[in-house]
Amino acid sequence: MSDVRWWPATQGDVFGQRIRELWTEQLGRRLDILVAGCGGGHVLETDRIETRVTGIDEDLPELRAAMERRTDLDARFLGDLRDAPLLPRTFDVVHAPFLLERVHHAELVLDRLVNALRPGGLLLVRMRDRASAYGFCDRFLPSWPRRLLWPRFAPPGAVGPLPAVYEQVASREGIHSYCLMRGLMIAEDYSATSGPALRGPHARLARFTCHLVAKLSGDRLSTAGDEITLVIRKPQNHFARLI
């Protein structure tokens, strides 16, 4: 793996910068981009770059409505991400914003996304960290109080509440292990605080709860950052064909 840089994710539009750099490397040809988890509404900044953007996500009412409002997608698919129609080595960039923590069989989904990525392509991941105090609260809160509390705690316009699965790969240790086993290179690794409840109308109460959970855990669960942002590159060599 390459050296990992630990910077705050707030330092500019990291994903947009890396896509523009890739576009320059490709001598300005069109980039094929896959947004896996497009129902969350997270849009990449690709101004002045020729792209074709495909969106896929699970077929849930909240996600379906959010996807229909998007105008940046050239194609879209709703359904089980484990059997989405993804051809091998089809995309230059795969963007997975806050997807891995809310799907079952996350490693299988990741394998399909990586398989759809061309050698030398970029896998851009944002996810909630299961090892954070916020991630712990999110994954252990039963579904019915999550639905009840979401309108009161989430900021305006946030899509949800979405499933909270948090398999092992939805953690820094888990995703690093996954990349090591698949021969993927983590170029950049950032931490940030962005949980919806921490930005909503009752943010102070949410922060207090996270600090309490962290203290009760003996500080094993961190409050320093609940979001992990990764820039991952698929190797540009013949070994990438095995991935």
Side-chain angles (χ1 to χ4, degrees):
M1 287 193 181
S2 62
D3 293 335
V4 176
R5 287 177 277 181
W6 302 82
W7 297 333
T10 54
Q11 292 192 2
D13 174 28
V14 174
F15 288 172
Q17 292 172 21
R18 300 301 167 259
I19 291 174
R20 285 188 284 272
E21 291 169 3
L22 181 63
W23 182 70
T24 301
E25 292 174 12
Q26 299 295 330
L27 303 179
R29 73 162 176 81
R30 188 190 77 185
L31 295 181
D32 295 305
I33 298 176
L34 173 67
V35 182
C38 62
H42 303 278
V43 179
L44 291 168
E45 294 185 15
T46 57
D47 295 342
R48 298 182 298 278
I49 298 176
E50 184 183 1
T51 61
R52 176 175 172 79
V53 182
T54 301
I56 64 172
D57 213 328
E58 294 191 300
D59 192 2
L60 299 175
E62 302 91 339
L63 298 174
R64 189 185 310 117
M67 183 186 288
E68 290 173 354
R69 291 193 295 267
R70 294 188 64 151
T71 60
D72 62 317
L73 301 178
D74 299 294
R76 61 197 72 201
F77 172 83
L78 278 170
D80 191 334
L81 299 186
R82 292 172 296 176
D83 58 14
L86 301 176
L87 297 176
R89 299 189 295 278
T90 304
F91 298 97
D92 302 288
V93 178
V94 173
H95 180 214
F98 300 106
L99 171 71
L100 299 182
E101 68 271 21
R102 62 176 173 86
V103 296
H104 293 280
H105 310 287
E107 284 201 16
L108 176 57
V109 172
L110 261 178
D111 284 342
R112 301 213 64 233
L113 298 180
V114 172
N115 187 54
L117 194 61
R118 291 176 178 133
L122 296 176
L123 174 62
L124 309 175
V125 174
R126 276 200 173 103
M127 65 182 181
R128 204 70 60 206
D129 187 1
R130 80 187 303 272
S132 67
Y134 187 96
F136 178 88
C137 294
D138 193 22
R139 62 191 168 103
F140 279 104
L141 189 66
S143 59
W144 69 265
R146 292 181 81 248
R147 291 193 298 270
L148 179 66
L149 294 173
W150 179 265
R152 295 171 173 79
F153 278 80
V159 178
L162 298 175
V165 181
Y166 287 92
E167 294 179 355
Q168 188 59 43
V169 74
S171 66
R172 178 164 278 113
E173 180 181 356
I175 192 67
H176 276 250
S177 296
Y178 174 87
C179 290
L180 179 63
M181 295 297 293
R182 301 305 194 277
L184 303 171
M185 299 182 297
I186 298 179
E188 299 169 59
D189 185 325
Y190 307 97
S191 293
T193 300
S194 67
L198 300 175
R199 298 177 286 111
H202 299 290
R204 292 181 62 182
L205 177 57
R207 285 194 296 269
F208 172 80
T209 302
C210 288
H211 281 287
L212 179 61
V213 168
K215 186 175 181 180
L216 292 174
S217 73
D219 291 324
R220 289 184 296 107
L221 299 170
S222 173
T223 59
D226 58 90
E227 176 191 312
I228 299 172
T229 298
L230 300 165
V231 177
I232 303 168
R233 186 178 287 270
K234 187 172 182 176
Q236 181 68 277
N237 54 47
H238 66 282
F239 293 110
R241 295 179 179 271
L242 302 177
I243 301 175

Short mmCIF file of all heavy atoms in Angstrom, two decimals, residues 53-103:
data_model
loop_
_atom_site.label_atom_id
_atom_site.label_comp_id
_atom_site.label_asym_id
_atom_site.label_seq_id
_atom_site.Cartn_x
_atom_site.Cartn_y
_atom_site.Cartn_z
N VAL A 53 -22.45 9.54 -15.96
CA VAL A 53 -22.65 9.14 -14.56
C VAL A 53 -23.81 8.16 -14.47
O VAL A 53 -24.92 8.44 -14.92
CB VAL A 53 -22.92 10.37 -13.67
CG1 VAL A 53 -23.07 9.94 -12.22
CG2 VAL A 53 -21.80 11.39 -13.81
N THR A 54 -23.53 7.01 -13.88
CA THR A 54 -24.54 5.97 -13.63
C THR A 54 -24.76 5.87 -12.13
O THR A 54 -23.79 5.81 -11.36
CB THR A 54 -24.09 4.61 -14.18
OG1 THR A 54 -23.87 4.73 -15.59
CG2 THR A 54 -25.14 3.54 -13.91
N GLY A 55 -26.01 5.82 -11.70
CA GLY A 55 -26.33 5.71 -10.28
C GLY A 55 -27.01 4.39 -9.97
O GLY A 55 -27.86 3.92 -10.73
N ILE A 56 -26.62 3.77 -8.86
CA ILE A 56 -27.29 2.56 -8.39
C ILE A 56 -27.53 2.69 -6.89
O ILE A 56 -26.77 3.35 -6.18
CB ILE A 56 -26.49 1.26 -8.67
CG1 ILE A 56 -25.16 1.27 -7.91
CG2 ILE A 56 -26.26 1.07 -10.15
CD1 ILE A 56 -24.42 -0.05 -7.99
N ASP A 57 -28.61 2.08 -6.42
CA ASP A 57 -28.88 2.06 -4.99
C ASP A 57 -29.95 1.02 -4.71
O ASP A 57 -30.55 0.46 -5.63
CB ASP A 57 -29.34 3.44 -4.49
CG ASP A 57 -28.89 3.70 -3.05
OD1 ASP A 57 -28.79 2.73 -2.28
OD2 ASP A 57 -28.62 4.87 -2.72
N GLU A 58 -30.17 0.77 -3.42
CA GLU A 58 -31.19 -0.17 -3.02
C GLU A 58 -32.57 0.41 -3.28
O GLU A 58 -32.76 1.63 -3.27
CB GLU A 58 -31.03 -0.53 -1.54
CG GLU A 58 -29.75 -1.28 -1.23
CD GLU A 58 -29.75 -1.84 0.17
OE1 GLU A 58 -29.86 -1.03 1.12
OE2 GLU A 58 -29.66 -3.06 0.33
N ASP A 59 -33.54 -0.46 -3.48
CA ASP A 59 -34.89 -0.03 -3.79
C ASP A 59 -35.68 0.19 -2.50
O ASP A 59 -36.46 -0.65 -2.07
CB ASP A 59 -35.58 -1.06 -4.68
CG ASP A 59 -36.89 -0.53 -5.27
OD1 ASP A 59 -37.21 0.65 -5.01
OD2 ASP A 59 -37.57 -1.27 -5.99
N LEU A 60 -35.43 1.34 -1.87
CA LEU A 60 -36.16 1.76 -0.67
C LEU A 60 -36.92 3.04 -1.00
O LEU A 60 -36.45 3.85 -1.82
CB LEU A 60 -35.20 2.02 0.49
CG LEU A 60 -34.36 0.81 0.95
CD1 LEU A 60 -33.37 1.25 2.03
CD2 LEU A 60 -35.25 -0.30 1.46
N PRO A 61 -38.09 3.26 -0.40
CA PRO A 61 -38.90 4.43 -0.75
C PRO A 61 -38.13 5.75 -0.63
O PRO A 61 -38.23 6.61 -1.52
CB PRO A 61 -40.05 4.37 0.26
CG PRO A 61 -40.17 2.91 0.61
CD PRO A 61 -38.76 2.38 0.58
N GLU A 62 -37.37 5.94 0.46
CA GLU A 62 -36.64 7.20 0.64
C GLU A 62 -35.60 7.40 -0.45
O GLU A 62 -35.43 8.50 -0.98
CB GLU A 62 -35.95 7.22 2.01
CG GLU A 62 -36.88 7.06 3.19
CD GLU A 62 -37.03 5.60 3.60
OE1 GLU A 62 -36.77 4.71 2.75
OE2 GLU A 62 -37.43 5.35 4.75
N LEU A 63 -34.91 6.30 -0.81
CA LEU A 63 -33.86 6.40 -1.82
C LEU A 63 -34.44 6.57 -3.21
O LEU A 63 -33.90 7.30 -4.04
CB LEU A 63 -32.99 5.15 -1.77
CG LEU A 63 -32.25 4.92 -0.45
CD1 LEU A 63 -31.53 3.58 -0.46
CD2 LEU A 63 -31.26 6.04 -0.17
N ARG A 64 -35.56 5.90 -3.48
CA ARG A 64 -36.20 6.03 -4.79
C ARG A 64 -36.61 7.48 -5.04
O ARG A 64 -36.37 8.03 -6.12
CB ARG A 64 -37.41 5.11 -4.87
CG ARG A 64 -38.00 5.00 -6.27
CD ARG A 64 -39.28 4.19 -6.28
NE ARG A 64 -39.11 2.92 -5.59
CZ ARG A 64 -39.79 2.58 -4.49
NH1 ARG A 64 -40.67 3.42 -3.97
NH2 ARG A 64 -39.60 1.40 -3.93
N ALA A 65 -37.21 8.11 -4.04
CA ALA A 65 -37.66 9.49 -4.19
C ALA A 65 -36.48 10.43 -4.39
O ALA A 65 -36.52 11.34 -5.22
CB ALA A 65 -38.47 9.91 -2.96
N ALA A 66 -35.38 10.21 -3.63
CA ALA A 66 -34.21 11.07 -3.76
C ALA A 66 -33.54 10.90 -5.11
O ALA A 66 -33.09 11.87 -5.72
CB ALA A 66 -33.22 10.75 -2.64
N MET A 67 -33.48 9.65 -5.61
CA MET A 67 -32.87 9.40 -6.91
C MET A 67 -33.66 10.09 -8.03
O MET A 67 -33.07 10.63 -8.98
CB MET A 67 -32.76 7.90 -7.17
CG MET A 67 -32.07 7.57 -8.48
SD MET A 67 -32.09 5.81 -8.89
CE MET A 67 -30.92 5.18 -7.69
N GLU A 68 -34.98 10.06 -7.93
CA GLU A 68 -35.80 10.67 -8.97
C GLU A 68 -35.60 12.18 -9.04
O GLU A 68 -35.84 12.79 -10.08
CB GLU A 68 -37.27 10.34 -8.71
CG GLU A 68 -37.61 8.86 -8.95
CD GLU A 68 -39.03 8.52 -8.54
OE1 GLU A 68 -39.69 9.41 -7.95
OE2 GLU A 68 -39.47 7.38 -8.78
N ARG A 69 -35.16 12.78 -7.95
CA ARG A 69 -34.94 14.24 -7.95
C ARG A 69 -33.60 14.63 -8.55
O ARG A 69 -33.38 15.80 -8.86
CB ARG A 69 -35.04 14.78 -6.51
CG ARG A 69 -36.43 14.72 -5.91
CD ARG A 69 -36.50 15.54 -4.64
NE ARG A 69 -35.67 14.99 -3.58
CZ ARG A 69 -36.10 14.13 -2.66
NH1 ARG A 69 -37.37 13.72 -2.70
NH2 ARG A 69 -35.31 13.68 -1.72
N ARG A 70 -32.71 13.67 -8.73
CA ARG A 70 -31.38 13.98 -9.24
C ARG A 70 -31.42 14.23 -10.74
O ARG A 70 -32.08 13.52 -11.49
CB ARG A 70 -30.40 12.85 -8.92
CG ARG A 70 -30.15 12.69 -7.44
CD ARG A 70 -29.04 11.70 -7.17
NE ARG A 70 -27.75 12.13 -7.68
CZ ARG A 70 -26.58 11.79 -7.13
NH1 ARG A 70 -26.56 11.03 -6.06
NH2 ARG A 70 -25.46 12.21 -7.66
N THR A 71 -30.65 15.23 -11.17
CA THR A 71 -30.59 15.57 -12.59
C THR A 71 -29.21 15.29 -13.18
O THR A 71 -28.99 15.54 -14.37
CB THR A 71 -30.92 17.06 -12.79
OG1 THR A 71 -29.98 17.85 -12.05
CG2 THR A 71 -32.33 17.37 -12.30
N ASP A 72 -28.28 14.78 -12.37
CA ASP A 72 -26.91 14.57 -12.85
C ASP A 72 -26.64 13.15 -13.30
O ASP A 72 -25.53 12.85 -13.73
CB ASP A 72 -25.92 14.93 -11.73
CG ASP A 72 -26.08 14.04 -10.50
OD1 ASP A 72 -27.24 13.78 -10.12
OD2 ASP A 72 -25.06 13.61 -9.93
N LEU A 73 -27.66 12.27 -13.26
CA LEU A 73 -27.45 10.88 -13.61
C LEU A 73 -27.87 10.62 -15.06
O LEU A 73 -28.97 10.99 -15.47
CB LEU A 73 -28.25 9.97 -12.68
CG LEU A 73 -27.95 10.07 -11.18
CD1 LEU A 73 -28.86 9.15 -10.39
CD2 LEU A 73 -26.48 9.76 -10.90
N ASP A 74 -27.01 9.98 -15.82
CA ASP A 74 -27.33 9.61 -17.19
C ASP A 74 -28.04 8.26 -17.26
O ASP A 74 -28.75 7.97 -18.22
CB ASP A 74 -26.05 9.54 -18.02
CG ASP A 74 -25.33 10.88 -18.08
OD1 ASP A 74 -25.90 11.81 -18.68
OD2 ASP A 74 -24.23 11.00 -17.51
N ALA A 75 -27.84 7.42 -16.24
CA ALA A 75 -28.51 6.13 -16.13
C ALA A 75 -28.65 5.81 -14.66
O ALA A 75 -27.89 6.30 -13.84
CB ALA A 75 -27.72 5.04 -16.86
N ARG A 76 -29.64 4.96 -14.32
CA ARG A 76 -29.88 4.64 -12.91
C ARG A 76 -30.43 3.24 -12.77
O ARG A 76 -31.05 2.71 -13.68
CB ARG A 76 -30.83 5.67 -12.28
CG ARG A 76 -32.21 5.74 -12.92
CD ARG A 76 -32.91 7.03 -12.52
NE ARG A 76 -32.30 8.18 -13.19
CZ ARG A 76 -32.40 9.44 -12.77
NH1 ARG A 76 -33.06 9.71 -11.66
NH2 ARG A 76 -31.84 10.42 -13.44
N PHE A 77 -30.16 2.66 -11.59
CA PHE A 77 -30.63 1.30 -11.30
C PHE A 77 -31.00 1.21 -9.83
O PHE A 77 -30.25 1.64 -8.95
CB PHE A 77 -29.54 0.28 -11.61
CG PHE A 77 -29.87 -1.13 -11.16
CD1 PHE A 77 -30.66 -1.95 -11.94
CD2 PHE A 77 -29.39 -1.61 -9.95
CE1 PHE A 77 -30.97 -3.24 -11.53
CE2 PHE A 77 -29.69 -2.90 -9.53
CZ PHE A 77 -30.48 -3.72 -10.32
N LEU A 78 -32.19 0.66 -9.55
CA LEU A 78 -32.63 0.42 -8.18
C LEU A 78 -32.82 -1.08 -7.98
O LEU A 78 -33.46 -1.74 -8.80
CB LEU A 78 -33.95 1.14 -7.90
CG LEU A 78 -33.89 2.62 -7.53
CD1 LEU A 78 -35.28 3.23 -7.53
CD2 LEU A 78 -33.23 2.83 -6.17
N GLY A 79 -32.25 -1.61 -6.90
CA GLY A 79 -32.41 -3.04 -6.65
C GLY A 79 -31.33 -3.55 -5.73
O GLY A 79 -30.65 -2.79 -5.05
N ASP A 80 -31.18 -4.85 -5.70
CA ASP A 80 -30.18 -5.51 -4.86
C ASP A 80 -28.78 -5.24 -5.45
O ASP A 80 -28.50 -5.63 -6.58
CB ASP A 80 -30.46 -7.01 -4.82
CG ASP A 80 -29.62 -7.72 -3.77
OD1 ASP A 80 -28.52 -7.23 -3.44
OD2 ASP A 80 -30.07 -8.78 -3.28
N LEU A 81 -27.93 -4.60 -4.67
CA LEU A 81 -26.61 -4.23 -5.18
C LEU A 81 -25.72 -5.44 -5.41
O LEU A 81 -24.69 -5.34 -6.09
CB LEU A 81 -25.93 -3.27 -4.21
CG LEU A 81 -26.66 -1.94 -3.97
CD1 LEU A 81 -25.82 -1.02 -3.11
CD2 LEU A 81 -26.99 -1.25 -5.29
N ARG A 82 -26.10 -6.59 -4.86
CA ARG A 82 -25.31 -7.80 -5.06
C ARG A 82 -25.47 -8.37 -6.47
O ARG A 82 -24.62 -9.14 -6.92
CB ARG A 82 -25.68 -8.86 -4.03
CG ARG A 82 -25.28 -8.50 -2.60
CD ARG A 82 -25.85 -9.49 -1.61
NE ARG A 82 -27.32 -9.45 -1.60
CZ ARG A 82 -28.09 -10.27 -0.88
NH1 ARG A 82 -27.52 -11.21 -0.14
NH2 ARG A 82 -29.40 -10.16 -0.91
N ASP A 83 -26.54 -8.00 -7.17
CA ASP A 83 -26.71 -8.49 -8.54
C ASP A 83 -27.05 -7.36 -9.51
O ASP A 83 -27.72 -7.57 -10.51
CB ASP A 83 -27.79 -9.58 -8.59
CG ASP A 83 -29.14 -9.10 -8.07
OD1 ASP A 83 -29.32 -7.89 -7.90
OD2 ASP A 83 -30.00 -9.95 -7.82
N ALA A 84 -26.57 -6.16 -9.20
CA ALA A 84 -26.77 -5.04 -10.12
C ALA A 84 -26.03 -5.32 -11.44
O ALA A 84 -25.00 -6.00 -11.44
CB ALA A 84 -26.24 -3.75 -9.50
N PRO A 85 -26.55 -4.84 -12.57
CA PRO A 85 -25.95 -5.13 -13.87
C PRO A 85 -24.66 -4.33 -14.10
O PRO A 85 -24.64 -3.33 -14.81
CB PRO A 85 -27.05 -4.72 -14.86
CG PRO A 85 -27.80 -3.64 -14.14
CD PRO A 85 -27.77 -4.02 -12.69
N LEU A 86 -23.56 -4.79 -13.50
CA LEU A 86 -22.28 -4.10 -13.61
C LEU A 86 -21.29 -4.99 -14.37
O LEU A 86 -20.93 -6.07 -13.90
CB LEU A 86 -21.72 -3.79 -12.21
CG LEU A 86 -22.59 -2.92 -11.30
CD1 LEU A 86 -21.95 -2.78 -9.93
CD2 LEU A 86 -22.84 -1.57 -11.94
N LEU A 87 -20.85 -4.52 -15.53
CA LEU A 87 -19.89 -5.27 -16.33
C LEU A 87 -18.47 -5.03 -15.81
O LEU A 87 -18.17 -3.94 -15.30
CB LEU A 87 -19.98 -4.85 -17.79
CG LEU A 87 -21.32 -5.14 -18.49
CD1 LEU A 87 -21.30 -4.59 -19.91
CD2 LEU A 87 -21.63 -6.64 -18.48
N PRO A 88 -17.59 -6.00 -15.92
CA PRO A 88 -16.21 -5.83 -15.45
C PRO A 88 -15.50 -4.71 -16.20
O PRO A 88 -15.70 -4.51 -17.40
CB PRO A 88 -15.56 -7.20 -15.76
CG PRO A 88 -16.71 -8.15 -15.84
CD PRO A 88 -17.85 -7.38 -16.40
N ARG A 89 -14.67 -3.96 -15.46
CA ARG A 89 -13.81 -2.90 -16.01
C ARG A 89 -14.58 -1.95 -16.92
O ARG A 89 -14.20 -1.72 -18.07
CB ARG A 89 -12.62 -3.55 -16.75
CG ARG A 89 -11.76 -4.40 -15.84
CD ARG A 89 -10.49 -4.86 -16.52
NE ARG A 89 -10.74 -5.75 -17.65
CZ ARG A 89 -10.97 -7.06 -17.53
NH1 ARG A 89 -11.00 -7.62 -16.34
NH2 ARG A 89 -11.17 -7.81 -18.59
N THR A 90 -15.65 -1.40 -16.36
CA THR A 90 -16.53 -0.50 -17.12
C THR A 90 -16.37 0.96 -16.71
O THR A 90 -16.59 1.86 -17.53
CB THR A 90 -18.00 -0.92 -16.91
OG1 THR A 90 -18.17 -2.29 -17.28
CG2 THR A 90 -18.95 -0.06 -17.74
N PHE A 91 -15.96 1.22 -15.48
CA PHE A 91 -15.96 2.58 -14.94
C PHE A 91 -14.55 3.03 -14.57
O PHE A 91 -13.72 2.24 -14.12
CB PHE A 91 -16.86 2.67 -13.70
CG PHE A 91 -18.30 2.35 -13.99
CD1 PHE A 91 -18.81 1.08 -13.75
CD2 PHE A 91 -19.15 3.32 -14.52
CE1 PHE A 91 -20.14 0.78 -14.02
CE2 PHE A 91 -20.47 3.02 -14.80
CZ PHE A 91 -20.97 1.75 -14.56
N ASP A 92 -14.31 4.34 -14.78
CA ASP A 92 -13.04 4.95 -14.37
C ASP A 92 -13.06 5.34 -12.90
O ASP A 92 -12.01 5.35 -12.24
CB ASP A 92 -12.76 6.20 -15.21
CG ASP A 92 -12.73 5.90 -16.68
OD1 ASP A 92 -11.74 5.28 -17.13
OD2 ASP A 92 -13.69 6.28 -17.39
N VAL A 93 -14.24 5.67 -12.40
CA VAL A 93 -14.40 6.11 -11.01
C VAL A 93 -15.63 5.44 -10.43
O VAL A 93 -16.69 5.39 -11.07
CB VAL A 93 -14.57 7.65 -10.91
CG1 VAL A 93 -14.79 8.08 -9.46
CG2 VAL A 93 -13.36 8.36 -11.50
N VAL A 94 -15.50 4.92 -9.22
CA VAL A 94 -16.64 4.43 -8.45
C VAL A 94 -16.71 5.25 -7.17
O VAL A 94 -15.76 5.28 -6.39
CB VAL A 94 -16.52 2.93 -8.12
CG1 VAL A 94 -17.65 2.51 -7.16
CG2 VAL A 94 -16.58 2.09 -9.39
N HIS A 95 -17.83 5.91 -6.98
CA HIS A 95 -18.06 6.75 -5.80
C HIS A 95 -19.09 6.05 -4.92
O HIS A 95 -20.20 5.77 -5.36
CB HIS A 95 -18.58 8.12 -6.24
CG HIS A 95 -18.85 9.06 -5.11
ND1 HIS A 95 -19.87 9.99 -5.15
CD2 HIS A 95 -18.23 9.23 -3.92
CE1 HIS A 95 -19.86 10.69 -4.02
NE2 HIS A 95 -18.89 10.23 -3.26
N ALA A 96 -18.71 5.74 -3.67
CA ALA A 96 -19.61 5.06 -2.74
C ALA A 96 -19.78 5.93 -1.49
O ALA A 96 -19.05 5.77 -0.51
CB ALA A 96 -19.05 3.69 -2.37
N PRO A 97 -20.75 6.86 -1.52
CA PRO A 97 -20.94 7.76 -0.39
C PRO A 97 -21.92 7.19 0.64
O PRO A 97 -23.10 7.00 0.35
CB PRO A 97 -21.50 9.02 -1.05
CG PRO A 97 -22.25 8.51 -2.25
CD PRO A 97 -21.57 7.24 -2.68
N PHE A 98 -21.44 6.91 1.84
CA PHE A 98 -22.26 6.43 2.96
C PHE A 98 -23.15 5.25 2.54
O PHE A 98 -24.35 5.24 2.77
CB PHE A 98 -23.09 7.58 3.53
CG PHE A 98 -22.25 8.72 4.03
CD1 PHE A 98 -22.15 9.90 3.32
CD2 PHE A 98 -21.52 8.58 5.19
CE1 PHE A 98 -21.34 10.94 3.78
CE2 PHE A 98 -20.71 9.61 5.66
CZ PHE A 98 -20.61 10.79 4.95
N LEU A 99 -22.50 4.27 1.91
CA LEU A 99 -23.19 3.07 1.45
C LEU A 99 -22.85 1.86 2.30
O LEU A 99 -23.73 1.09 2.69
CB LEU A 99 -22.82 2.79 -0.01
CG LEU A 99 -23.29 1.45 -0.59
CD1 LEU A 99 -24.80 1.46 -0.78
CD2 LEU A 99 -22.57 1.13 -1.89
N LEU A 100 -21.57 1.67 2.60
CA LEU A 100 -21.11 0.41 3.19
C LEU A 100 -21.71 0.14 4.56
O LEU A 100 -21.91 -1.02 4.93
CB LEU A 100 -19.58 0.40 3.28
CG LEU A 100 -18.84 0.51 1.94
CD1 LEU A 100 -17.34 0.44 2.16
CD2 LEU A 100 -19.30 -0.59 0.99
N GLU A 101 -22.00 1.18 5.32
CA GLU A 101 -22.54 0.96 6.67
C GLU A 101 -24.02 0.60 6.66
O GLU A 101 -24.56 0.18 7.68
CB GLU A 101 -22.32 2.20 7.55
CG GLU A 101 -23.12 3.42 7.17
CD GLU A 101 -22.43 4.30 6.16
OE1 GLU A 101 -21.53 3.80 5.45
OE2 GLU A 101 -22.77 5.49 6.08
N ARG A 102 -24.69 0.70 5.52
CA ARG A 102 -26.13 0.46 5.49
C ARG A 102 -26.56 -0.71 4.61
O ARG A 102 -27.75 -0.89 4.36
CB ARG A 102 -26.87 1.73 5.06
CG ARG A 102 -26.55 2.25 3.66
CD ARG A 102 -27.44 3.45 3.36
NE ARG A 102 -27.12 4.13 2.13
CZ ARG A 102 -27.58 3.80 0.93
NH1 ARG A 102 -28.38 2.74 0.81
NH2 ARG A 102 -27.28 4.50 -0.14
N VAL A 103 -25.60 -1.50 4.14
CA VAL A 103 -25.96 -2.65 3.30
C VAL A 103 -25.47 -3.95 3.94
O VAL A 103 -24.43 -3.99 4.61
CB VAL A 103 -25.38 -2.53 1.87
CG1 VAL A 103 -25.98 -1.34 1.16
CG2 VAL A 103 -23.87 -2.46 1.90
#
